Amino acid sequence: MGNKFKKGFVREFNESRRQELEEIKIRQRHNISDEKVVVIEKSDTIKFLFKVLLNGIKTAARITLIILAAVGMMCLIYPETRMEFFKIMSEIFTGTKNLILG
């Protein structure tokens, strides 16, 4: 029973400490030195959408990087895929050269 109280008090203390640190950051960001002033930042739809979009792009980039790494490993390990990869890369370079030079 005593352990339950300790956890509750510690959790409340940590939460209040986190809020105090967040208030200090907000005051520094808005250049407010008065302790009596309370700044309330409301969630903005544009900020939220921007964060969601940014997280989506980061996730897609990570997934793409993992897929490309897997393809690269397959090309290194298996000789058949390595030869096909070199053929494809050769065709890409040849096609790009033909497009550039006319």
Side-chain angles (χ1 to χ4, degrees), residues 3 23 33 45 54 68 85 87:
N3 194 13
E23 286 178 23
S33 59
T45 305
L54 191 63
L68 289 174
F85 176 72
K87 283 182 190 177

Side-chain angles (χ1 to χ4, degrees), residues 57-73:
I57 291 171
K58 285 182 182 179
T59 302
R62 288 181 184 131
I63 291 171
T64 304
L65 185 65
I66 290 171
I67 291 171
L68 289 174
V71 169
M73 290 299 294

Side-chain angles (χ1 to χ4, degrees), residues 18-76:
R18 186 191 61 78
Q19 287 176 349
E20 288 174 13
L21 292 174
E22 189 173 325
E23 286 178 23
I24 291 170
K25 284 183 193 176
I26 291 172
R27 284 193 181 119
Q28 288 175 350
R29 189 178 322 143
H30 294 285
N31 297 325
I32 298 172
S33 59
D34 190 7
E35 293 290 324
K36 294 179 182 178
V37 175
V38 177
V39 178
I40 299 174
E41 287 189 338
K42 294 185 178 181
S43 178
D44 190 13
T45 305
I46 295 173
K47 281 184 184 178
F48 174 74
L49 290 176
F50 183 72
K51 286 182 183 178
V52 168
L53 181 67
L54 191 63
N55 286 337
I57 291 171
K58 285 182 182 179
T59 302
R62 288 181 184 131
I63 291 171
T64 304
L65 185 65
I66 290 171
I67 291 171
L68 289 174
V71 169
M73 290 299 294
M74 283 185 5
C75 286
L76 287 174

